[in-house]
Amino acid sequence: MAQTSVCVAMGESQTEVCATFKMVSVEDTTRRDEAIEEVAATLSVRAERGRRFAELTSLRVGGAVDWVLTPDSEEQAAALVSELEKRSVAWRPLGSGSNVLADDGAHHYAILSLKGLRADLVFKNNRVSVSAGFSLPRLCIEAARRGLSGIEGLNGIPGTVGGALWMNAGAYGQEIGTVVETVRVARGGRVVEIPGSEISWNYRHTSFQEGELLLGATLLLGAGDPDEIAARMEAAKSQRMATQPHGARSAGCFFKNAPASPIGTGRMIDDLGMKGTRRGGATVSPKHANFIVTEGDDARAADALALAEEIRERVKQEHGIDLEYEVELWSSKGEDQK
Ligand code: EPU
């Protein structure tokens, strides 16, 4: 098996999603499939074939992926990746797919779905322990109910805790990284706890490396008045409902806000008159210009990518700014696309 580093970078974008996949020949594929079946059976992990990114991501586009493996506990997930790695099986973690645009090609690797990791929350004083597959909005609501503050602004971000940790999700002045006491990751087949202070929590980016599997976290929240927390949570939610599309097929904000610009990316795209611009099944949301939404059964990842690149070109022309992708672009190609 040849090992290839896949780095996805669109045009001049600085956003880069790198992963190490193994390019497999037909013979290798048969051996790999047998290895996956054996590991899944031994560890009692659900293993499915024939799934498509169009069913696995919130944009509802993207091609087929060879396997979807769904462990149902942190321990099982840690054992699973260790066994896959021993057998050189290429894998990528995926939560609810709410920040991923996977291309339309056939993706020859295994998705390790974290949606099964949603054990009950464990509260102790101001701390809460949560698994990676737990819904972020549900966590926010449960914390608020107990008078715990620090993540109420994140309510309404449609994703899992694992995804939120991976990219340091934030909204309305809060970011999850600021309240992380420890993170649980898979190492050597086991669940290992590392201090949150060892991680760099940056704007929609962390120092976690591709290949690291996040299993859960313990958050240290602040004590507050449940009514006041609930009021702040409601305010953030209604602000979000008023300014962002909901119920639409999107991946949240498509681009980061540019640090050097006083104008947000949404405003910039809006000022260019691009709201409602449509390419195939992808449209710049009429509600918030930094959202690309897809519509219809024949929408393709390529439509969203073409529209995104058109936006980047217009912003570059008008403002001289290279927008960085906020969504992760997942390539099916076993070659460096830089
Ligand atoms: N605006 C426009 N037109 C638009 C969109 C926004 O004129 O189409 C204006 C707004 O009226 C406002 C300003 O731009 O005056 C800022 O807009 P908003 O409050 O919506 O904030 P944002 O910078 O566009 C950021 C995050 C959102 C997060 C909100 C609220 C990024 C890229 N976006 O949006 O996060 O929900 O603040 O905190 O950081 C995401 O991460 O996926 C995301 C959507």
Side-chain angles (χ1 to χ4, degrees):
M1 272 185 201
Q3 191 154 310
T4 308
S5 177
V6 179
C7 291
V8 184
M10 299 304 300
E12 301 283 298
S13 169
Q14 314 232 317
T15 298
E16 210 177 88
V17 179
C18 295
T20 304
F21 301 141
K22 282 94 189 166
M23 296 310 298
V24 287
S25 66
V26 175
E27 243 170 72
D28 284 341
T29 303
T30 309
R31 240 178 287 142
R32 180 206 63 175
D33 291 346
E34 284 167 4
I36 291 176
E37 273 162 5
E38 183 206 315
V39 169
T42 309
L43 296 174
S44 304
V45 170
R46 181 149 59 98
E48 299 163 275
R49 311 188 73 165
R51 304 291 306 272
R52 304 181 65 77
F53 278 103
E55 310 151 10
L56 297 169
T57 61
S58 56
L59 276 164
R60 301 265 160 233
V61 293
V65 62
D66 286 350
W67 288 90
V68 175
L69 307 175
T70 312
D72 57 22
S73 73
E74 295 185 24
E75 291 72 22
Q76 204 187 38
L80 176 63
V81 286
S82 169
E83 292 304 319
L84 293 178
E85 278 167 6
K86 274 183 208 158
R87 291 163 177 79
S88 299
V89 175
W91 61 275
R92 296 194 86 160
L94 186 71
S96 53
S98 57
N99 199 46
V100 169
L101 173 59
D103 74 25
D104 299 306
H107 294 248
H108 296 303
Y109 47 85
I111 284 297
L112 206 154
S113 170
L114 295 165
K115 282 164 95 177
L117 306 192
R118 45 169 184 241
D120 288 347
L121 300 173
V122 180
F123 285 93
K124 202 169 174 194
N125 302 321
N126 288 0
R127 291 182 172 79
V128 56
S129 173
V130 58
S131 284
F134 203 87
S135 141
L136 182 62
R138 243 189 89 197
L139 169 68
C140 297
I141 291 165
E142 294 294 332
R145 252 192 220 145
R146 288 165 173 84
L148 294 173
S149 165
I151 50 173
E152 56 272 28
L154 310 186
N155 179 34
I157 295 181
T160 56
V161 168
L165 292 168
W166 177 257
M167 61 168 299
N168 190 20
Y172 304 109
Q174 293 178 333
E175 284 181 345
I176 196 161
T178 58
V179 296
V180 174
E181 188 171 58
T182 57
V183 186
R184 295 186 294 280
V185 298
R187 288 192 189 158
R190 297 189 185 287
V191 181
V192 173
E193 196 159 37
I194 55 174
S197 57
E198 279 184 13
I199 309 300
S200 304
W201 304 95
N202 304 310
Y203 168 58
R204 304 294 197 275
H205 186 259
T206 62
S207 55
F208 292 117
Q209 299 292 309
E210 196 80 29
E212 181 91 278
L213 181 65
L214 310 187
L215 299 170
T218 296
L219 310 183
L220 178 57
L221 301 167
D225 176 65
D227 292 339
E228 286 173 17
I229 296 168
R232 285 199 296 275
M233 201 163 67
E234 276 312 304
K237 190 176 165 195
S238 47
Q239 178 75 3
R240 185 187 301 281
M241 298 288 270
T243 58
Q244 299 179 3
H246 49 94
R249 292 161 27 175
S250 90
C253 283
F254 224 81
F255 302 102
K256 295 183 184 180
N257 286 336
S261 168
I263 315 168
T265 300
R267 162 71 62 83
M268 259 192 265
I269 302 168
D270 192 356
D271 288 349
L272 290 170
M274 293 190 82
K275 272 184 174 168
T277 305
R278 191 182 172 103
R279 296 291 171 262
T283 308
V284 176
S285 165
K287 202 157 182 185
H288 194 298
N290 198 6
F291 280 63
I292 288 178
V293 296
T294 64
E295 281 167 349
D297 288 342
D298 51 1
R300 294 283 169 267
D303 301 336
L305 270 175
L307 186 54
E309 280 300 291
E310 200 175 318
I311 292 170
R312 290 186 71 247
E313 272 164 37
R314 292 281 312 276
V315 168
K316 176 76 175 171
Q317 263 170 19
E318 298 292 324
H319 298 276
I321 290 171
D322 291 312
L323 287 182
E324 255 190 73
Y325 280 89
E326 208 252 70
V327 295
E328 287 196 5
L329 306 175
W330 286 17
S331 171
S332 58
K333 311 263 181 348
E335 68 207 36
D336 195 332
Q337 292 201 333
K338 255 201 286 186

